[in-house]
Amino acid sequence: MYRVHLPGRSTNAAWRDAARRLASHRILAEKVEWTRELAGTGLFGFDPLPANDGAYEVTASKALIDLTGAVLCHSDPQAPALAYRLLLRHQYDRRALSNPADPLTQRLRRMEKSVRRDIHKMHAFVRFRELPTEGLRRSFAAWFEPQHFITERAAGFFAVRFADMDWLIATPDMTVTFRDGVLGFGPAPQQRPDLPDDASEALWATYFRNIFNPARVKISAMKSEMPVKYWKNLPETRLIPQMLAEADARVAAMRAAMPTDPPQRATRILDKLPAMPVANMPETLDQARDAAMSCTRCDLCQAATQTVWGEGDLNAALMIVGEQPGDQEDLQGRPFVGPAGTLLRELMEEAEISAVWLTNAVKHFKFKPRGKLRLHQNPNRGEVQHCRWWLDLERRFVAPRLTLALGATAAYALTGNPGPLQNRRGQSEQAMDGGPVLISWHPSYILRLSGKEAQSARSMLLQDLRHAARITI
Ligand code: URA
């Protein structure tokens, strides 16, 4: 009987080394006992395994390596033995792996699926809390309890996704750290760390409240997407009992309040309708902002993380209006903090603009999910119309002397003219509420250009910003 003790880290490499050597001597699966270190970093040790490779060549296809790699993360103590059994079988029967009726293959495929699902859940459900730090990089920590030994496999995703911060994820079987761009693995903490609460909890709660659709409460589907075992470490799940209790009342309220997007041809008719009197009309900018936070005037609130309200100097003579929040803005709840915002802020500095109110025509991020990405979508006219309610309120309270419209959506929201910008950029038009609107390029448009075209569009936006600065001094 041979005994192989696998380490808690780099388990896959250690298993492959031992399995290849055993299989090269055609040592039967029944003759090998596999054990796995459950926590810590102990060294890979094995009792008298054959010191050298045996006479038989051992081959493994990529599909087999992928399957055994996933299976080895499974928490079933039998996982390394089953993977070895498959490796041996593969030496004389290549078809076993692709035979869905084979009981061993079936079992391993189920294990693989469960591991992949656990990795997916870890990617989705790790909730970082910010830690105090004196360094330049922000620092975060999270506690997560996976079902299988997946921490090492799942870590790469976080290194890519959160490359600009230092972070640590502690799990019951190991701790992953990411410091100054370097990924490291260490032993599990003795006990679950006590992490501070932070503002991101509120963000998750807002996000969850926004994606929770009371009209589609399907508790079993919810539990399958977000299994109950993960709930205790998810800040947003604390809202579930209350949201379920309120679901019926919210559905009734939604029915009463639900807006319908007008078909595009109806837009002009809608423009002509007199403004409807509204109860609870906000009387201050803060009241308007608070009301906008729970806006459901169109469907964009369903998928966006939160309403992104304007910000800046509320006594500013200049208002700059963009299209809608992007991915970063949606997550941070602030306008122009992503790549387009970086360009805009750089140009504003060059133009020496300091007092400004920055906002968007549409207050929710519209996107199409593509894998892990959220691809920007232009808001349609109906969405712009619905959101004009908030823009009008913002304009009433900020009362800018001049508004700079960035891009066609902002120009349409402010002037009602949906026409192309080619002949309008750099010109002043009249806003529907009366004030002057200077039309310019949107910084995202400039970011999509290259070479001379990008240079020229950039200097046009700078010229418009300088023009706006002169008028509003
Ligand atoms: N683009 C916009 O129009 N607004 C933002 O806030 C960010 C990107």
Side-chain angles (χ1 to χ4, degrees), residues 295-322:
C295 175
T296 52
R297 296 175 77 86
C298 73
D299 283 347
L300 296 187
C301 62
Q302 303 283 348
T305 308
Q306 56 192 316
T307 304
V308 179
W309 190 247
E311 68 174 30
D313 181 343
L314 48 91
N315 296 312
L318 175 63
M319 176 182 269
I320 298 183
V321 182

Side-chain angles (χ1 to χ4, degrees), residues 308 322-326 329 334-338 340-341 359-360 406 442 444:
V308 179
E323 182 197 63
Q324 59 161 341
E329 288 79 13
R334 295 183 52 210
F336 289 106
V337 290
T359 194
N360 284 301
L406 302 177
H442 193 287
S444 302

